[in-house]
Amino acid sequence: MMDLAGKNVVLVGGYGGIGMATARLLLKKKIANLVIVSRLENMENLRKLQAEASNVNVLSVQMDITNRQSIEKGMKDIALQIKQIDLLINSAGVLMDRDVETTIAVNLTGLINTCLMALPLMDKTQMGRGGLIVNLASVYGLEPNGALAVFSAAKHGVIGFTRSMSDETIQRRTGVSMIAALPGLTQSELMMNLRDKTTLDTTKELVEQMLAAKQQKPEDVALNLMKAIEMNKNGALYILNLGNLKEVSLNTHWQL
């Protein structure tokens, strides 16, 4: 179990729907510092969060996760402000399949670079004291989606990266665990104008099925995300859907 009291938390994409809902729950856990990482500062939301918990130091760092140099600078800024990271939550994401490069850069490459560059601030053999990294993937990282093939590919990559980095050899040496959270369809900016975001024009029926399906609120995702964080089970994959939290078991098809 992970006790969040007194911990330093970095939340990437903290001004989005799920991110903002998660930030509000974190403030209730008596954490020491909450660093909101975003491409653009949102001082209004930052002030709102600080007002909700005067006992937590709420900070902001600008970082473009599609740019390695920006991530490097962002991590230096974080190190100056809080020195160590105990919990890193990667919740930034985009859904825009017709822009392949941006979709992969934000959902996968940026997440990977952020994890690797944050690791020294968490690794107990370097500057850290161990901790947990949480990567937001999607149910479409487990199952294919013909309407959102690029998004699905990126989220499959997030799951593969998370499973690989949660290898017990890495966890034992660094003291850092890694899990992935897989939300189902959620009422968020990602779902807006969905018909214009598909990989191809020939997937109209699939999109209509998605739009007709029941969607959960970001707050529902955040509640289950906090449960997954507090369980702190290295390598775990959790589906967060319609108020339910379910751990996923995957078969092993090949090994040395």
Side-chain angles (χ1 to χ4, degrees):
M1 299 294 289
M2 186 175 195
D3 182 3
L4 292 172
K7 296 294 193 295
N8 294 331
V9 182
V10 173
L11 177 56
V12 182
Y15 296 128
I18 294 175
M20 194 69 173
T22 302
R24 288 198 161 101
L25 291 181
L26 286 165
L27 294 178
K28 298 177 181 179
K29 297 293 183 178
K30 299 181 181 180
I31 60 175
N33 297 289
L34 174 62
V35 182
I36 304 292
V37 177
S38 180
R39 186 173 64 87
L40 299 173
E41 283 192 331
N42 188 324
M43 297 308 297
E44 180 181 356
N45 281 340
L46 192 68
R47 284 192 289 268
K48 287 179 180 179
L49 289 173
Q50 185 63 84
E52 291 182 22
S54 58
N55 60 322
V56 179
N57 192 25
V58 183
L59 306 162
S60 178
V61 168
Q62 280 186 271
M63 194 170 82
D64 178 1
I65 64 171
T66 67
N67 184 290
R68 283 183 57 88
Q69 287 72 33
S70 181
I71 299 174
E72 289 174 356
K73 181 181 182 305
M75 289 302 161
K76 289 178 182 178
D77 291 342
I78 290 170
L80 287 173
Q81 295 192 64
I82 62 172
K83 294 184 173 57
Q84 298 167 318
I85 300 173
D86 299 303
L87 172 62
L88 169 66
I89 304 173
N90 287 302
S91 68
V94 297
L95 201 167
M96 44 195 303
D97 262 39
R98 300 188 192 194
D99 186 343
V100 174
E101 290 75 16
T102 299
T103 299
I104 298 298
V106 174
N107 292 310
L108 180 58
T109 314
L111 179 146
I112 291 173
N113 283 329
T114 300
C115 287
L116 295 178
M117 293 185 198
L119 200 56
L121 300 179
M122 305 181 73
D123 186 343
K124 65 184 182 182
T125 68
Q126 298 186 60
M127 296 179 285
R129 50 195 178 195
L132 174 66
I133 296 176
V134 182
N135 296 323
L136 258 71
S138 167
V139 289
Y140 292 126
L142 279 178
E143 305 296 343
N145 184 327
L148 305 171
V150 182
F151 177 83
S152 178
K155 295 303 186 179
H156 272 76
V158 171
I159 291 175
F161 176 74
T162 301
R163 295 179 68 201
S164 298
M165 287 294 291
S166 62
D167 184 281
E168 63 178 16
T169 303
I170 298 174
Q171 198 278 336
R172 185 170 58 248
R173 176 177 173 81
T174 64
V176 178
S177 301
M178 192 176 291
I179 66 174
L182 289 54
L185 296 177
T186 305
Q187 298 170 7
S188 68
E189 292 181 2
L190 267 66
M191 292 294 291
M192 294 176 62
N193 303 314
L194 186 62
R195 295 178 181 88
D196 300 324
K197 297 177 177 179
T198 57
T199 319
L200 302 170
D201 290 326
T202 55
T203 55
K204 180 180 179 180
E205 292 180 7
L206 296 175
V207 175
E208 297 307 321
Q209 290 173 13
M210 293 175 65
L211 293 174
K214 188 175 182 180
Q215 298 181 26
Q216 60 192 338
K217 295 180 180 179
E219 291 77 12
D220 298 327
V221 178
L223 282 170
N224 279 316
L225 184 61
M226 295 306 302
K227 294 177 183 177
I229 289 169
E230 291 177 334
M231 284 190 285
N232 192 16
K233 183 178 178 181
N234 184 45
L237 310 176
Y238 296 103
I239 292 177
L240 289 59
N241 191 52
L242 301 177
N244 297 310
L245 178 69
K246 177 184 177 182
E247 185 174 356
V248 178
S249 297
L250 298 179
N251 294 327
T252 300
H253 299 286
W254 182 88
Q255 63 185 118
L256 291 174

